[in-house]
Amino acid sequence: MKLANPGDVPVYTIAGPSTARPLPDWLARRRKRSAKYDPENLNNFELLQEFEFEEASNCVRVSEDGNWIMSSGTYKPQFHVHSTQELSLSFSRHTKSENTTFLLLSSDYTKSLHLQNDRSLEFHTPMGCHYETRLPRFGRDLAYIRQSTEVLVPAVGLSSDGSGYGEVFRLDLERGQYLRPWQINVGTDDPGSGLQGSINAGSVNVATVAEYTHGLCAFGTSIGSVEFFDPRSKSRVAVLGGQEGEVTALDFSSDGLSLALGTSHGQIRQFDLRNPRPIFNKDHGMGLAIKNLIHLRTPTDERKLLSADKRIIKIWDEDSGNLWTSIEPMVDINFVAHCPDSGMLLTANEGKQQHVFFIPNLGLAPRWCHFIDNMVHEMETETRSETYDNYKFLTVPELKALSLGHLVGKTNLLRPYMHGYFVAAKLYDQARLIANPYIWEEERAKRIKEKVEKERASRIRGVKKVKVNQKLADKILKRQEKRERVDTEAGVLGDDRFGKLFEDEEFKVDEMSREFRALNPSTVVGGPEDADGKSTIRYQTDSDDDSNDEDVEDSKPSDGIVMQVSSSRAQGGLMKDTTIGDRIQKSRPVQKPQGGEVVGEKQVTFVPEGKKKAKPEAPSPVNNRRRGERRSASTNTFRKL
């Protein structure tokens, strides 16, 4: 459930596609699984089960009792019947050809009439297709006169008697036979085009009946005229002409005194039957043919007019002619239906899913989904703070700092709230600029600084924790610092073939081995740890450059052993580099063998031994006295023992 059109007249999208092109089934299922735990999708719900078609929907209607919704679509050609009591699909049925439009002849779904695009009329019942009949020419629309049980089918082309008029076929359902068609002026056709007409043949596009009032029938034609017939006298009673473009939509008001028509150029006109001049004339703005016109009433008894073309749905105020609200779905619209006595709209569209919109200002939710009213109330409570999007909250000291304290209680620009005021954003910006003329320069410098720090942060190498060889992983990641993008899953770290190198203990690098120290002479290695967790050996590596020296000292062992390898430091001070021979001579005297100098390799081993501390000798009393120790003045002899 999403707020599609925030403002004075909010519009909520209950169901419908969010993309202009339907996604493949496998991708839709994957996205549904990935968004299962998304906080934005936790409150989503499916109002009607399987309220969709494989490709597109053509028409949708709601039964008079409000318990059933029937919709037709493709592909393959079929129609669905949904039960509003169960909020689920009751059944679906395939047809031989695609459906153009249909009517519900009963108060529920049990009797329906379907106009197919193969010049056939099909009567359907819950058991299946009850009867099928063919039309002489292609039909454009359906209308039903309930008092005389007559079905009206506006058709394309001229009549067969050579009169040069179009026809509206009449089918008497009580007697089960066709009646004499009504003749409608649709202009002349090209000679030799045949009964079906040419490509630009004239046609009767749409029909409507003032069912609950005077019962007049109105027919819109391709030459921009509207003809009115009285079913009681079976004759024409009036003609309304002079419209630009074809008449593509008609609808009588509930009182039967006004008629709304839409043209193929996107024009909407409202007429009073007692006056040939339009009450108001509006342009839909898209330049597309009007598909639907519906007269509506709000709970406050305000009269509204709904108009829809392929792109957008607009609701107008009949009294003033101003635009009340609009709805622009992501897909093309084919038909719009209104749930009686509610604020819910259903659409048949080119998308896979059908749209369901809810306008609280137009009426309450239908009784079969009354819970939507509570959900809308909760959403309005949560989003009530959006009312102050153009305001800035300031306390009284902040108002005085901006020299706005004198406006308290004198203007609507300051709205009291709790311990401060909501100030219009435009006034706040102007006052802040007057108080500090350099505010924009400071803001610009601040944004530049944030952008630079953000770019610096992106250069920091990522950190990846592994079970084994953490130093090797850090070394690999450190090489990526020079790249524009740091990817912790790239290279060796992201290759499954090298996964055991960082997971299996068998592949752990032994930093104490001779091979590792030979290949990494500059690597600092820690020795074994004692019981206190401190290393007992210190390795110190050196290089020619003192700035690159590394000195790692954990602690000295308890027995006094210190192992050092150093050529640049001695007792914390600098010393001159000497040769290996000089170092050996300085460390201990070396006796040369009698046979001359040693030639070749020589292996020297040693075992470090701790220095034995000599036991101090007990000082004699005489020596202690001579050292100036204090003599005892006590006469107790035992104190001297």
Side-chain angles (χ1 to χ4, degrees):
M1 189 169 177
K2 190 178 298 182
L3 182 61
N5 187 12
D8 296 336
V9 185
V11 178
Y12 294 89
T13 303
I14 308 298
S18 58
T19 57
R21 183 173 299 176
L23 298 175
D25 292 340
W26 62 271
L27 185 56
R29 288 193 297 267
R30 178 182 296 178
R31 288 193 176 183
K32 188 175 182 179
R33 288 195 302 267
S34 62
K36 182 178 181 180
Y37 301 103
D38 190 354
E40 296 182 358
N41 298 328
L42 291 179
N43 296 327
N44 289 356
F45 68 96
E46 188 176 7
L47 180 63
L48 291 174
Q49 177 195 8
E50 298 182 14
F51 194 56
E52 60 184 23
F53 287 88
E54 295 296 329
E55 184 177 346
S57 51
N58 299 327
C59 185
V60 58
R61 295 187 187 274
V62 184
S63 62
E64 291 183 3
D65 57 7
N67 295 331
W68 305 95
I69 297 175
M70 181 178 288
S71 54
S72 61
T74 189
Y75 180 79
K76 299 176 180 179
Q78 56 187 302
F79 65 89
H80 294 171
V81 177
H82 287 81
S83 173
T84 58
Q85 300 299 321
E86 302 294 336
L87 298 178
S88 62
L89 178 65
S90 180
F91 69 90
S92 63
R93 185 176 300 163
H94 288 76
T95 57
K96 294 184 295 184
S97 59
E98 189 174 348
N99 183 271
T100 301
T101 185
F102 67 90
L103 286 177
L104 294 175
L105 303 179
S106 60
S107 60
D108 53 8
Y109 77 97
T110 54
K111 296 178 183 179
S112 59
L113 175 61
H114 298 258
L115 175 63
Q116 308 296 101
N117 61 1
D118 61 348
R119 294 193 297 115
S120 65
L121 282 175
E122 294 183 1
F123 295 85
H124 283 264
T125 63
M127 304 302 175
C129 183
H130 178 71
Y131 185 75
E132 180 180 356
T133 181
R134 298 277 291 181
L135 295 170
R137 286 186 297 278
F138 291 97
R140 287 292 183 90
D141 196 9
L142 287 176
Y144 182 55
I145 305 176
R146 196 175 301 274
Q147 290 77 7
S148 59
T149 66
E150 291 184 16
V151 175
L152 306 178
V153 186
V156 181
L158 304 179
S159 61
S160 59
D161 57 2
S163 61
Y165 284 87
E167 292 180 326
V168 175
F169 299 111
R170 300 164 58 207
L171 179 60
D172 192 332
L173 300 184
E174 184 177 0
R175 290 184 290 180
Q177 65 180 17
Y178 281 100
L179 304 179
R180 183 179 179 180
W182 286 339
Q183 302 290 328
I184 307 295
N185 183 15
V186 294
T188 59
D189 200 357
D190 296 335
S193 60
L195 297 179
Q196 298 298 331
S198 61
I199 296 176
N200 297 322
S203 63
V204 184
N205 294 329
V206 64
T208 186
V209 179
E211 184 176 357
Y212 300 103
T213 53
H214 45 69
L216 283 180
C217 302
F219 303 97
T221 66
S222 59
I223 61 175
S225 63
V226 180
E227 297 192 8
F228 298 88
F229 277 74
D230 190 345
R232 296 168 294 183
S233 62
K234 307 295 190 296
S235 61
R236 183 185 298 106
V237 295
V239 177
L240 178 63
Q243 311 302 322
E244 297 180 1
E246 303 181 10
V247 178
T248 57
L250 288 173
D251 187 65
F252 278 108
S253 62
S254 58
D255 55 10
L257 296 179
S258 61
L259 173 73
L261 66 86
T263 67
S264 59
H265 294 169
Q267 300 292 325
I268 304 168
R269 295 182 177 90
Q270 179 86 358
F271 287 91
D272 191 322
L273 296 184
R274 298 163 292 186
N275 190 352
R277 296 182 180 179
I279 300 176
F280 68 84
N281 184 6
K282 292 295 179 181
D283 188 356
H284 224 246
M286 296 291 182
L288 302 173
I290 303 299
K291 291 182 175 290
N292 282 94
L293 288 172
I294 305 175
H295 284 85
L296 306 171
R297 282 187 180 271
T298 64
T300 58
D301 205 22
E302 297 179 3
R303 301 179 11 162
K304 308 295 179 183
L305 177 63
L306 181 145
S307 61
D309 59 11
K310 188 171 65 173
R311 298 286 183 84
I312 193 172
I313 301 173
K314 292 186 177 182
I315 301 180
W316 311 84
D317 191 343
E318 285 193 28
D319 297 333
S320 62
N322 297 329
L323 180 64
W324 192 54
T325 187
S326 62
I327 308 170
E328 189 171 2
M330 299 294 295
V331 293
D332 293 343
I333 303 170
N334 291 329
F335 194 85
V336 179
H338 174 242
C339 293
D341 302 327
S342 70
M344 181 169 289
L345 302 176
L346 309 176
T347 66
N349 42 259
E350 289 298 323
K352 183 177 179 180
Q353 296 179 345
Q354 295 179 248
H355 275 296
V356 180
F357 299 103
F358 179 61
I359 307 176
N361 294 15
L362 194 60
L364 299 175
R367 64 177 184 273
W368 50 270
C369 58
H370 58 86
F371 54 86
I372 292 181
D373 292 327
N374 297 332
M375 298 178 63
V376 169
H377 180 70
E378 292 177 2
M379 292 183 63
E380 289 178 352
T381 304
E382 293 176 358
T383 60
R384 190 168 295 174
S385 59
E386 295 181 359
T387 307
Y388 295 97
D389 284 344
N390 297 328
Y391 288 83
K392 174 72 174 179
F393 180 79
L394 297 178
T395 59
V396 176
E398 291 175 345
L399 279 176
K400 294 181 179 180
L402 296 176
S403 301
L404 297 178
H406 64 284
L407 298 179
V408 175
K410 298 181 180 179
T411 177
N412 294 331
L413 298 177
L414 301 183
R415 299 185 180 184
Y417 183 76
M418 295 179 66
H419 61 286
Y421 296 86
F422 277 108
V423 183
K426 187 175 181 180
L427 175 62
Y428 170 73
D429 293 337
Q430 294 177 354
R432 189 174 59 162
L433 182 60
I434 294 174
N436 186 5
Y438 303 100
I439 187 66
W440 299 117
E441 296 181 3
E442 296 176 359
E443 185 69 19
R444 181 174 179 271
K446 180 181 178 181
R447 293 185 179 183
I448 292 175
K449 183 179 179 181
E450 292 177 354
K451 185 175 181 180
V452 171
E453 291 179 353
K454 185 178 180 180
E455 292 179 355
R456 288 178 178 175
S458 64
R459 306 285 297 183
I460 300 175
R461 62 187 177 93
V463 178
K464 183 178 180 64
K465 298 296 182 181
V466 295
K467 295 182 180 179
V468 185
N469 300 329
Q470 181 65 44
K471 292 184 179 180
L472 179 60
D474 296 341
K475 183 178 180 181
I476 294 174
L477 292 176
K478 189 175 182 180
R479 295 176 182 174
Q480 298 189 13
E481 290 184 357
K482 298 181 180 180
R483 304 178 184 177
E484 296 181 357
R485 180 174 178 267
V486 178
D487 188 2
T488 59
E489 301 296 335
V492 178
L493 295 176
D495 198 333
D496 296 338
R497 297 174 298 176
F498 303 98
K500 293 184 178 181
L501 184 61
F502 303 99
E503 300 293 336
D504 195 348
E505 293 287 344
E506 297 293 335
F507 293 91
K508 184 176 181 181
V509 178
D510 186 7
E511 298 181 353
M512 304 297 298
S513 63
R514 179 179 180 183
E515 293 79 2
F516 179 83
R517 295 170 59 187
L519 295 175
N520 301 276
S522 299
T523 302
V524 178
V525 182
E529 297 179 352
D530 56 8
D532 298 334
K534 297 183 178 181
S535 177
T536 59
I537 301 177
R538 180 184 68 182
Y539 294 96
Q540 180 175 338
T541 62
D542 60 339
S543 61
D544 296 338
D545 188 2
D546 293 339
S547 61
N548 294 331
D549 288 347
E550 302 181 19
D551 190 1
V552 179
E553 179 178 1
D554 294 334
S555 66
K556 293 184 179 181
S558 58
D559 55 357
I561 299 176
V562 177
M563 300 180 65
Q564 295 184 354
V565 180
S566 176
S567 61
S568 59
R569 295 181 183 270
Q571 302 298 331
L574 297 178
M575 63 179 292
K576 185 178 180 181
D577 252 350
T578 57
T579 61
I580 296 178
D582 293 341
R583 295 181 187 179
I584 296 176
Q585 293 178 2
K586 291 181 180 180
S587 62
R588 63 179 179 178
V590 179
Q591 297 180 358
K592 295 183 179 181
Q594 297 179 0
E597 296 182 357
V598 178
V599 179
E601 297 181 354
K602 183 178 181 181
Q603 184 175 2
V604 179
T605 60
F606 67 94
V607 178
E609 296 180 358
K611 297 180 180 180
K612 297 181 180 180
K613 298 181 180 180
K615 295 182 180 180
E617 297 180 357
S620 60
V622 179
N623 294 335
N624 291 340
R625 291 177 183 177
R626 292 179 179 178
R627 292 175 183 172
E629 293 182 0
R630 187 175 180 179
R631 298 176 62 182
S632 176
S634 175
T635 57
N636 191 350
T637 308
F638 294 97
R639 290 176 58 88
K640 300 178 182 180
L641 296 180

